Amino acid sequence: MAADCGVFVDWSQMGDVSHDAAPGKTEYKDLKELKQHARSGQWAKNHSQRSAVYQQLLKALPCRTVTPDAAVYRDIVGNSNSKCNPSAYPLPDFVDGTAVPCYCLKAESVGSVHAVISCIAGQFPDISHCPSLPAVTALLLHWSVDEAQCFESVSRMLACNEPGRHLLDQTFLAYQSACMTFGDLVHKYCPAAHKLMVATATDVLEVYSDWQRWVLGDLPFSFAARVMDIYMVEGYKVLYRVALAILKFYRKQRSAAAGSALTKQDSAAVRSDIQAFVQNIGKSVTPEKLLEKAFSIRLFSRKEITLLQLANEKSLQQKGITVKQKSSIKRQNVQLAVNADNFSSEIVSAKEIRDIWSWIPERFALCQPQLLFTTSTHGCSLNRFYSHCEGYEPTLMLIRTTDGEMCGAFLSTDWEERKRGGNKLSFFGTGECFVFRMKPEMERYEWVVIKHPELANASQAADDEQTGANNNGGLQSLEKPATDPSHLSPFLSARHFNLNSRNTSMFMAGNIDSIIIGGGEGNALYIDSELNHGRTEQCLTFDNPPLCAESFQIALLEVWGFKDAMAS
């Protein structure tokens, strides 16, 4: 292996990576040690060691029963390592025009990448969209003894059938929902970067649609290889982490360079700017710093990301978006699926609703806003409020006070859910709810557990103590759900959590007397039955300051739904 792997590599570009030293450890039985070595770059200096480790990892992948191997490639293409012109093996349409990154390969090795991908296209006819394939193939060619072995490695990644795990998006639906999921993750975990994107790009989703290319394509080889080490061990979620870290570093550089002078640009210009930053990232960040940043981002588990991606896939399927069409399927803007010509609110301008739209989950932002209720037309009655808003999920509430202040809330759950509690005021909703204010500057306040999951632990401890007291020291309820922060999902309703009701899970509530948003020793919003008077305080659910004057009179209240997003 040591003598043969690396035949495709231009060693003059590889720096201090050894290709002739004896490899170190290549087989692992302890998963913890394997992950630690992958993250710490144990294989980065020895090409043969990395090659051997990768082959062990790839052989261990559970795959479909019939998965093409090296022998299949040799039967189709032959035994030689091709020095063919890439034009002899044109890349298939499913790579969507993505070029093969050089990655320190010999010039003629690009032809080998084309040959491998061409054979993949013939053996995997179900692949319809896979823009990351050229980068992954080029990387794996580094650690392959010949094209046939590279073909088998890529085939195993594509044919992986481990439940709940995939390594490469292979359909447009999966790819597009991954882009939406990345946008959701930026919203939640990189708010400063998202704010920069909203301020500078005319189409934020178009910018986010490049996220996989940043990691698999634009990163220099020394960075991409380190990412590949962890990706091979830990899977797809690593790509999200690294892309988020890239965006964080880009925001830092962009903000420092621009100061306060941020202006809107065509999205293509922003995409090009990020691409240039990523391609030259080595001037400002080391691979170690990038990975350190990536794994310092407090994300939920792989299950959380899977839930989010499935929700986005379902939204796209409901809109009939499953394949790439010649006409653009992208919404006009991530912050504006809002058509200014058709949007008319007495509270906010088209520009302001676009900014609010940039905060909501991607699968809903695909929809157009639809006015469901307004006090100026339907009157100041809570019963009429319910009758117009029930059946819609989610909804957006906007309030203008008699003092001219504006605030509101994004409410993830149908108001009909309140009936579960009978006449008793009980909370419902999910952690995707948030509240916001418009002035003196626009600010959003999310579920506090998203940024501080340790609060769930504290809340659980209080519940455990109370449960023990109620049971006189006996066994706790077997039906009590786990509240480990790694398992908390903002998609789940309050009733799915066993969180202390005085703490973090009080999203929304309503009865014949009032509606309440946010709770825990204060309400983010309280509105009376006549939709006339309200209060706002700091609450534990969102950890928000008062959204306007603490006691206010309502001049106008509007509720907006989402076309094509009616609850089934």
Side-chain angles (χ1 to χ4, degrees):
M1 179 75 73
D4 294 327
C5 76
V7 296
F8 301 96
V9 178
D10 180 352
W11 288 99
S12 67
Q13 301 182 49
M14 291 290 286
D16 60 351
V17 177
S18 171
H19 65 289
D20 53 12
K25 186 167 185 172
T26 59
E27 295 188 25
Y28 294 85
K29 294 182 179 179
D30 182 354
L31 179 59
K32 185 176 180 180
E33 182 186 25
L34 176 64
K35 289 176 68 173
Q36 193 274 328
H37 279 200
R39 291 193 185 190
S40 63
Q42 290 288 317
W43 317 314
K45 293 294 181 70
N46 191 299
H47 205 75
S48 298
Q49 181 184 19
R50 188 179 252 152
S51 174
V53 171
Y54 278 24
Q55 293 309 312
Q56 290 295 323
L57 293 172
L58 288 162
K59 287 177 182 177
L61 279 179
C63 295
R64 297 197 291 257
T65 303
V66 180
T67 298
D69 58 12
V72 170
Y73 186 86
R74 293 188 184 104
D75 287 343
I76 296 171
V77 179
N79 292 314
S80 64
N81 292 326
S82 306
K83 292 187 177 180
C84 61
N85 189 314
S87 63
Y89 294 93
L91 293 177
D93 290 342
F94 63 64
V95 304
D96 198 30
T98 305
V100 174
C102 293
Y103 282 149
C104 304
L105 294 172
K106 297 174 182 176
E108 61 266 26
S109 298
V110 173
S112 294
V113 177
H114 278 241
V116 170
I117 294 176
S118 179
C119 195
I120 288 287
Q123 296 299 306
F124 289 83
D126 51 334
I127 298 177
S128 59
H129 196 80
C130 193
S132 296
L133 191 59
V136 170
T137 305
L139 285 167
L140 289 176
L141 193 65
H142 260 265
W143 303 292
S144 301
V145 298
D146 56 17
E147 291 172 11
Q149 187 183 66
C150 180
F151 169 81
E152 181 172 323
S153 297
V154 176
S155 294
R156 293 192 67 81
M157 291 185 73
L158 291 167
C160 176
N161 62 357
E162 182 179 338
R165 181 182 185 186
H166 79 287
L167 292 170
L168 288 166
D169 294 327
Q170 298 175 46
T171 67
F172 185 70
L173 178 64
Y175 177 82
Q176 191 68 13
S177 63
C179 292
M180 294 167 63
T181 299
F182 179 72
D184 285 323
L185 296 175
V186 177
H187 288 194
K188 288 183 170 69
Y189 305 110
C190 308
H194 183 61
K195 192 172 183 179
L196 173 67
M197 293 299 103
V198 171
T200 56
T202 55
D203 187 338
V204 180
L205 183 61
E206 189 176 342
V207 175
Y208 292 160
S209 69
D210 284 345
W211 77 275
Q212 288 190 33
R213 190 185 71 181
W214 301 340
V215 183
L216 296 172
D218 290 340
L219 276 177
F221 173 75
S222 60
F223 288 77
R226 289 290 304 280
V227 172
M228 194 73 173
D229 291 346
I230 311 170
Y231 173 47
M232 294 286 286
V233 174
E234 300 187 40
Y236 194 84
K237 67 177 182 179
V238 170
L239 304 183
Y240 282 121
R241 283 190 172 278
V242 175
L244 291 171
I246 287 171
L247 202 57
K248 280 178 171 283
F249 280 117
Y250 172 77
R251 182 207 67 84
K252 185 176 180 180
Q253 184 204 64
R254 181 77 167 81
S255 298
S260 59
L262 296 175
T263 57
K264 283 280 186 186
Q265 302 179 57
D266 181 77
S267 298
V270 178
R271 293 170 70 187
S272 296
D273 195 41
I274 296 177
Q275 182 180 31
F277 170 77
V278 177
Q279 290 173 341
N280 295 282
I281 195 170
K283 294 180 179 179
S284 54
V285 179
T286 64
E288 288 74 22
K289 285 292 183 184
L290 179 66
L291 294 174
E292 180 183 329
K293 177 69 74 175
F295 286 96
S296 70
I297 299 170
R298 180 174 276 163
L299 282 178
F300 289 131
S301 64
R302 183 168 66 184
K303 180 180 179 181
E304 160 70 9
I305 294 174
T306 301
L307 283 171
L308 188 49
Q309 182 136 355
L310 289 173
N312 285 325
E313 280 191 13
K314 182 178 179 181
S315 175
L316 289 168
Q317 287 174 323
Q318 289 173 341
K319 293 165 183 61
I321 300 171
T322 57
V323 297
K324 188 168 186 179
Q325 301 157 348
K326 289 185 179 180
S327 58
S328 175
I329 61 87
K330 295 176 183 175
R331 55 185 156 117
Q332 295 297 309
N333 245 298
V334 83
Q335 77 268 31
L336 53 112
V338 181
N339 186 329
D341 295 333
N342 297 332
F343 178 77
S344 179
S345 167
E346 296 179 73
I347 297 179
V348 296
S349 66
K351 179 186 180 304
E352 289 168 329
I353 197 68
R354 289 182 185 120
D355 290 337
I356 295 170
W357 231 242
S358 74
W359 291 332
I360 66 178
E362 296 280 333
R363 63 191 183 281
F364 301 127
L366 282 166
C367 306
Q368 291 285 333
Q370 176 182 3
L371 185 62
L372 305 178
F373 175 85
T374 171
T375 52
S376 65
T377 299
H378 303 109
C380 297
S381 163
L382 190 52
N383 283 334
R384 282 195 287 274
F385 169 94
Y386 289 138
S387 66
H388 283 274
C389 298
E390 286 177 1
Y392 287 85
E393 182 179 293
T395 54
L396 180 72
M397 178 187 294
L398 301 173
I399 297 170
R400 188 180 76 225
T401 73
T402 53
D403 292 330
E405 295 179 292
M406 293 183 289
C407 61
F410 174 79
L411 305 169
S412 63
T413 304
D414 190 340
W415 278 105
E416 195 165 19
E417 184 81 5
R418 77 188 190 283
K419 295 176 182 176
R420 282 177 174 266
N423 294 325
K424 180 183 177 183
L425 186 72
S426 59
F427 280 88
F428 54 95
T430 75
E432 289 191 314
C433 293
F434 61 82
V435 295
F436 58 90
R437 63 180 178 186
M438 305 293 289
K439 295 179 180 179
E441 68 174 342
M442 294 185 65
E443 195 67 50
R444 172 181 62 161
Y445 304 96
E446 296 179 288
W447 184 31
V448 68
V449 170
I450 289 176
K451 294 184 177 177
H452 300 286
E454 67 275 7
L455 291 176
N457 275 347
S459 180
Q460 179 64 39
D463 276 351
D464 289 348
E465 184 177 340
Q466 184 62 42
T467 302
N470 291 342
N471 291 342
N472 295 318
L475 293 175
Q476 297 178 10
S477 170
L478 295 176
E479 297 181 356
K480 185 174 66 177
T483 52
D484 183 331
S486 67
H487 297 110
L488 289 177
S489 166
F491 304 105
L492 300 180
S493 304
R495 67 177 182 274
H496 293 136
F497 300 123
N498 193 22
L499 298 180
N500 188 316
S501 62
R502 298 188 302 276
N503 202 338
T504 61
S505 61
M506 303 172 74
F507 302 115
M508 50 194 289
N511 59 13
I512 60 173
D513 297 318
S514 63
I515 55 177
I516 292 173
I517 300 160
E521 301 176 9
N523 302 131
L525 282 170
Y526 167 92
I527 299 172
D528 67 11
S529 61
E530 296 179 349
L531 306 184
N532 188 19
H533 293 283
R535 295 194 307 271
T536 175
E537 308 161 284
Q538 182 174 7
C539 75
L540 291 177
T541 300
F542 302 113
D543 192 27
N544 59 282
L547 303 175
C548 57
E550 292 192 22
S551 180
F552 59 88
Q553 187 169 351
I554 297 172
L556 188 63
L557 183 148
E558 294 177 348
V559 179
W560 292 82
F562 296 73
K563 286 185 180 179
D564 300 322
M566 286 185 66
S568 57

